[in-house]
Amino acid sequence: MLSIKPFEKPIYVMRPLLPEIGSFIDKMRQVWDSGWLTNRGPQHQQLEESLKRVLKIPHVSLFNNGTIAMIVACQSLRLSGEVITTPFTFPATPHVLSWNGIKPTFCDIDPITMNIDPARIESLITPQTTAILAVHVFGTPCDVIKIQEMADRYGLKVVYDAAHAFGVEINGRGIGEFGDASMFSFHATKLFHTAEGGAVAVKNDQLKTRIDLLQNFGIKNEEEVIMPGINGKMNELQAAMGLAVLDYIEEERGKRQKLFKAYCRFLEGVNGISICDNNGKNKEDGIKKSYQYFVIRIDENKFGKSRDEVYEMFKKFNVFTRKYFYPLCSDYACYSQLPSSRESNLPVAHKVVKEVLCLPFYGGLGIDDVERICMILKSFQSSIKVNAVVSS
Ligand SMILES: *Cc1c(COP(=O)(O)O)cnc(C)c1O
């Protein structure tokens, strides 16, 4: 018998995947030998090729971060006016629109997948609408078919923020195949990373050319600059990191799959706790998951404690969870005055944002850690006393 004690060291919601330092140093030697630090050197070229295979997409353009990648993706498609997006996302999603001079229009989300609800898009379309910017939240695929149908009917472009969806597949098709362009983030906290970095994935050859021009100041050749581009290039050190990390991705995914199953086992039957399973809308679709986050939803009425209470109580046990994505983007001061930001337009998002909690999830976490985190969570339930005794 042992009582539940706080963790000795803080447990954070995630830790970056660090490759064996030796494998990184080997890559660094190649960089030194080449004397090439940026401007699409050999590491960059190799990473682009590798990611095309891994993501199953004809074209990948690498960037210095995911936000710049998404800004350029919107520029490359010449989006303007208004773009319909979700309020339940990271700040970068609507900010990318603002940086393009575009007004975000917030659309409510699906109560199960927490992704943009395609059924609610149509009523938000105006003559100014040029695109839908959807997010595969927590790596759960959006309803890509319905979104495309809506876009086709109204002549809109579709851009996906696939920051959480590295390696996700629907029936064997890479998630980046859907829509006109998809952005992947390679930030240190993402499953695959280059410390900071990102990419745009596209199918269209001309679009790839335009994205690469926009990424590099619009320089076509030594004599010609043909558009107002930006500096979005990924450097060789980042690309080398990516190549080193890529070798560990499947192993990491395997570890996370085991942790996911362990969480499910230990939380089974806990009243008021449901697990986000990332299966998307259509259960018959064969979804390959990203295992980017482990997400639960807390029903305060059933569990007896609110998400916010659980978040605070976890801290006392040295467990630092995250309230992704609280607050909603539509509640930021810069967007709260938009007509689409009214709570009456976003009832589901307002409910979901109070329920969601990301629990610690990274390959370095042990099954015993997961068990302890779940024991701690269960001890919060009002019917069980804190300091409850558990059998060893
Ligand atoms: C991480 C993230 C981004 C931003 O990516 P950066 O590479 O950090 O710029 C964008 N959207 C979502 C949903 C994210 O989680």
Side-chain angles (χ1 to χ4, degrees):
M1 307 280 269
L2 68 138
S3 64
I4 309 171
K5 294 201 198 84
F7 281 90
E8 297 71 35
K9 285 191 191 144
I11 302 282
Y12 296 108
V13 78
M14 84 118 48
R15 291 178 67 177
L17 172 54
L18 284 169
E20 279 297 313
I21 192 154
S23 71
F24 181 64
I25 290 170
D26 286 346
K27 300 270 192 299
M28 282 297 105
R29 273 209 188 85
Q30 293 173 12
V31 174
W32 256 246
D33 290 345
S34 74
W36 202 339
L37 294 184
T38 187
N39 287 11
R40 299 174 185 158
Q43 303 291 323
H44 182 286
Q45 290 162 27
Q46 227 181 304
L47 184 61
E48 238 180 47
E49 286 308 311
S50 299
L51 290 178
K52 285 195 316 201
R53 268 200 315 278
V54 173
L55 297 172
K56 298 191 175 174
I57 182 85
H59 300 296
V60 170
S61 297
L62 301 178
F63 280 84
N64 47 9
N65 63 62
T67 305
I68 298 282
M70 198 154 49
I71 287 175
V72 166
C74 292
Q75 279 270 320
S76 72
L77 292 163
R78 298 179 171 85
L79 305 187
S80 64
E82 297 170 9
V83 168
I84 296 171
T85 191
T86 170
F88 188 64
T89 182
F90 188 69
T93 316
H95 288 352
V96 156
L97 299 174
S98 298
W99 277 75
N100 276 287
I102 293 166
K103 187 166 99 179
T105 299
F106 294 110
C107 176
D108 208 4
I109 59 175
D110 180 275
I112 306 296
T113 65
M114 302 182 269
N115 288 326
I116 197 166
D117 183 351
R120 287 177 158 268
I121 292 174
E122 192 163 22
S123 64
L124 298 167
I125 296 173
T126 75
Q128 282 73 49
T129 309
T130 55
I132 300 162
L133 172 55
V135 183
H136 304 297
V137 175
F138 304 132
T140 306
C142 288
D143 194 336
V144 290
I145 307 295
K146 289 230 181 80
I147 289 174
Q148 194 59 54
E149 275 169 15
M150 190 61 62
D152 290 344
R153 194 173 320 150
Y154 288 91
L156 307 177
K157 301 284 189 207
V158 178
V159 178
Y160 284 109
D161 177 336
H164 304 167
F166 188 86
V168 170
E169 294 177 12
I170 305 178
N171 287 328
R173 293 173 71 187
I175 193 74
E177 250 199 59
F178 301 93
D180 295 282
S182 294
M183 178 281 285
F184 293 89
S185 165
F186 304 153
H187 184 259
T189 55
K190 303 302 198 298
L191 176 72
F192 169 75
H193 74 89
T194 58
E196 288 269 9
V200 180
V202 297
K203 292 162 290 190
N204 180 295
D205 301 352
Q206 281 165 324
L207 195 56
K208 160 73 174 166
T209 306
R210 192 168 152 76
I211 287 168
D212 286 348
L213 281 164
L214 285 167
Q215 181 231 46
N216 189 32
F217 310 102
I219 297 173
K220 187 178 177 197
N221 54 46
E222 284 183 24
E223 312 282 323
E224 289 170 283
V225 176
I226 60 171
M227 59 182 81
I230 196 165
N231 181 0
K233 297 187 302 292
M234 176 181 282
N235 68 47
E236 288 290 279
L237 306 181
Q238 290 170 294
M241 180 61 137
L243 287 165
V245 170
L246 204 51
D247 291 338
Y248 291 82
I249 281 294
E250 280 316 309
E251 186 187 329
E252 174 72 12
R253 214 192 279 277
K255 287 181 187 166
R256 290 186 184 205
Q257 194 172 0
K258 289 204 181 79
L259 295 172
F260 188 93
K261 285 191 180 138
Y263 266 123
C264 292
R265 205 162 61 239
F266 295 127
L267 293 177
E268 202 188 320
V270 181
N271 199 20
I273 301 288
S274 54
I275 291 160
C276 167
D277 71 3
N278 295 123
N279 271 326
K281 195 79 173 149
N282 306 307
K283 288 277 187 278
E284 63 274 20
D285 288 345
I287 306 288
K288 186 176 167 203
K289 300 179 192 188
S290 69
Y291 294 104
Q292 169 68 63
Y293 294 107
F294 183 79
V295 187
I296 58 167
R297 281 168 71 178
I298 302 172
D299 180 333
E300 182 179 353
N301 292 328
K302 289 190 185 146
F303 186 68
K305 290 282 184 301
S306 70
R307 187 276 313 273
D308 287 348
E309 287 173 301
V310 169
Y311 167 80
E312 290 300 330
M313 289 164 91
F314 258 132
K315 285 188 195 169
K316 300 206 173 72
F317 287 84
N318 234 350
V319 177
F320 297 89
T321 60
R322 290 299 282 271
K323 299 191 246 179
Y324 283 139
F325 289 98
Y326 176 85
L328 293 175
C329 298
S330 47
D331 285 341
Y332 303 167
C334 49
Y335 301 125
S336 62
Q337 301 310 310
L338 294 171
S340 64
S341 294
R342 287 188 319 268
E343 186 167 349
S344 57
N345 182 47
L346 307 166
V348 179
H350 276 270
K351 180 172 186 293
V352 165
V353 80
K354 293 190 199 88
E355 297 179 346
V356 171
L357 195 65
C358 294
L359 301 186
F361 196 53
Y362 49 86
L365 205 63
I367 300 282
D368 51 337
D369 296 324
V370 168
E371 182 171 19
R372 193 152 146 200
I373 291 164
C374 294
M375 284 297 180
I376 292 169
L377 176 61
K378 286 190 239 184
S379 76
F380 298 158
Q381 219 167 5
S382 47
S383 56
I384 304 172
K385 281 195 237 95
V386 180
N387 281 336
V389 190
V390 298
S391 56
S392 53

